[in-house]
Amino acid sequence: MPRCSRVETRVEKVNIESPNATAIRLAAGLLRDGEVVAFPTETVYGLGANGLDDAAVRLVYELKGRPADNPVILHVADAASAKRLVSEWPQCAETLSEKYWPGPLTFVLRKSSIVPEVVTAGGPTVAVRVPAHPVALALLREFDGPIAAPSANRSSKTSPTLADHVLRDFDGRIPLILDAGPTDVGIESTVVDLTGPVPEVLRPGRITPSQIRHALDGDVRVHRGDAERLSSPGMLPRHYAPTARLILLEQDAPLPQEAPPGKTAYLTLAQRRDVRADVCVFMPNSPTEYAKRLYATLRDMDDQSVGVILVDMPPDTEEWSAVRDRLRRAAH
Ligand code: TXA
Ligand code: MG
């Protein structure tokens, strides 16, 4: 049912160490009623709905303005709950779940018959993960079912790492946001397709291909994020765009000769180069810290009406590949 009327959006602060039972019960009750609720995960905030309720998941698509051909992730409390959503649970899923769940790693597996078509965009596979966030886990246990949750941003905008980012996109449109402060990882989970003979990383994230290779003691492919092979529709290049235009400065590339027009910002790493800009932001030199800060920094630049962001590209190494991926998408 399309939603036209405004709702009052409550923002409930939730203690991350011991999530308050009242807020969790309120959120679970809303999910049972087919409502959409935003909640924190260790990666980014999610826009959650009952994953087995066709209409509730449709509402998420509608709220986000998400194309119907881009499937969503089902979040569950544990591996046993994940197994009910899939028709095959290969050994690699067992091994990776033991090692990395709860955590920022999403598996693509063959779906079972209980998963609604809207969740998988009509496809034969489903994405599942157990988030490593006490509030998300408390909500999943209380709700006692899978929660479908894309990142809680309007389609093609930067993912939210603060409850306030969610509020900006969805104030008056959803009844509740659980606010547990900034998220830890800062970028979306690694997505790995486990349906083929060789696992394939579809979206880079905190968990690297080497870590997966090491855990499985076998080969792992990495999906090339080119426009010709979009097996994961969410790999659409424009998925993480801020309003400002990004210019990526590879380490060995020449600097732009002329200053771009309008207000400019420079996101620099330690080897700060001779770039003139109105705003200079020193970014962390560790990939995990950089990832944690990235989206809030991009949103900050939008708030400051920056038109062009010059970015020192981090080195082209595996540990930086998730950050480089998000920067490239933001620049697209
Ligand atoms: O960290 C995360 O994964 C966050 C938090 C909220 O859990 N969620 C998130 O969801 O980033 P979303 O919808 O923004 O991104 C899900 C990604 C998309 O790239 C989508 O195309 C892919 O997962 N995906 C979902 N189901 C899939 C499937 N069956 N096959 C291939 N890719 C799939
Ligand atoms: Mg997203």
Side-chain angles (χ1 to χ4, degrees):
M1 199 195 317
R3 162 144 326 161
C4 306
S5 58
R6 261 185 88 81
V7 293
E8 169 110 37
T9 303
R10 266 174 82 167
V11 180
E12 285 285 328
K13 290 227 186 295
V14 186
N15 188 308
I16 188 159
E17 271 91 43
S18 63
N20 1 348
T22 324
I24 297 296
R25 273 202 294 270
L26 175 65
L30 286 165
L31 291 176
R32 268 179 224 117
D33 291 342
E35 297 281 354
V36 171
V37 165
F39 65 98
T41 79
E42 81 281 32
T43 57
V44 299
Y45 277 76
L47 197 61
N50 179 350
L52 302 180
D53 177 344
D54 190 273
V57 180
R58 272 179 215 290
L59 187 53
V60 169
Y61 276 82
E62 189 191 310
L63 284 163
K64 270 189 71 99
R66 185 182 182 107
D69 62 359
N70 188 0
V72 294
I73 298 173
L74 290 182
H75 297 70
V76 287
D78 47 43
S81 312
K83 287 177 195 172
R84 277 177 229 130
L85 303 171
V86 303
S87 57
E88 276 169 28
W89 182 257
Q91 181 56 45
C92 54
E94 185 63 24
T95 307
L96 289 174
S97 68
E98 277 168 15
K99 175 125 186 157
Y100 288 113
W101 279 2
L105 182 61
T106 297
F107 303 167
V108 171
L109 293 163
R110 290 192 196 286
K111 78 177 203 76
S112 74
S113 58
I114 65 167
V115 177
E117 298 244 307
V118 58
V119 167
T120 67
T125 60
V126 64
V128 286
R129 87 173 184 105
V130 179
H133 193 292
V135 174
L137 287 171
L139 178 60
L140 284 162
R141 288 195 198 102
E142 178 69 27
F143 177 61
D144 196 22
I147 299 178
S151 52
N153 52 283
R154 294 271 303 161
S155 197
S156 93
K157 291 284 178 207
T158 310
S159 292
T161 56
L162 287 172
D164 188 54
H165 298 159
V166 183
L167 190 64
R168 293 225 198 162
D169 276 2
F170 297 106
D171 191 15
R173 310 194 68 207
I174 58 174
L176 180 66
I177 301 171
L178 297 178
D179 177 1
T183 60
D184 179 48
V185 177
I187 55 171
E188 307 80 356
S189 61
T190 305
V191 178
V192 61
D193 183 344
L194 302 178
T195 58
V198 178
E200 182 174 17
V201 173
L202 301 179
R203 178 172 73 180
R206 166 77 74 89
I207 313 283
T208 63
S210 294
Q211 285 175 298
I212 298 173
R213 232 170 254 133
H214 187 256
L216 297 178
D217 194 18
D219 200 17
V220 171
R221 281 206 305 261
V222 178
H223 177 89
R224 297 204 170 278
D226 61 46
E228 274 129 87
R229 276 194 70 226
L230 288 174
S231 79
S232 183
M235 302 293 291
L236 284 172
R238 276 204 64 250
H239 204 61
Y240 307 94
T243 307
R245 188 161 67 89
L246 264 74
I247 298 178
L248 308 180
L249 310 173
E250 288 290 354
Q251 296 189 325
D252 47 5
L255 297 176
Q257 288 303 296
E258 277 168 60
K263 190 169 178 181
T264 54
Y266 177 33
L267 306 196
T268 175
L269 289 164
Q271 85 289 12
R272 170 160 213 267
R273 294 184 290 177
D274 190 20
V275 170
R276 240 176 300 159
D278 301 297
V279 185
C280 188
V281 184
F282 290 87
M283 295 301 283
N285 270 294
S286 115
T288 51
E289 291 305 309
Y290 194 115
K292 198 179 286 198
R293 286 261 302 279
L294 176 61
Y295 289 152
T297 304
L298 293 178
R299 280 179 186 255
D300 246 26
M301 297 302 103
D302 281 348
D303 290 348
Q304 295 185 44
S305 308
V306 166
V308 175
I309 308 174
L310 299 147
V311 185
D312 272 338
M313 267 311 243
D316 189 4
T317 57
E318 189 190 73
E319 53 165 2
W320 282 102
S321 69
V323 166
R324 286 176 58 89
D325 169 78
R326 299 317 190 270
L327 284 170
R328 276 198 305 267
R329 286 164 200 283
H332 196 82

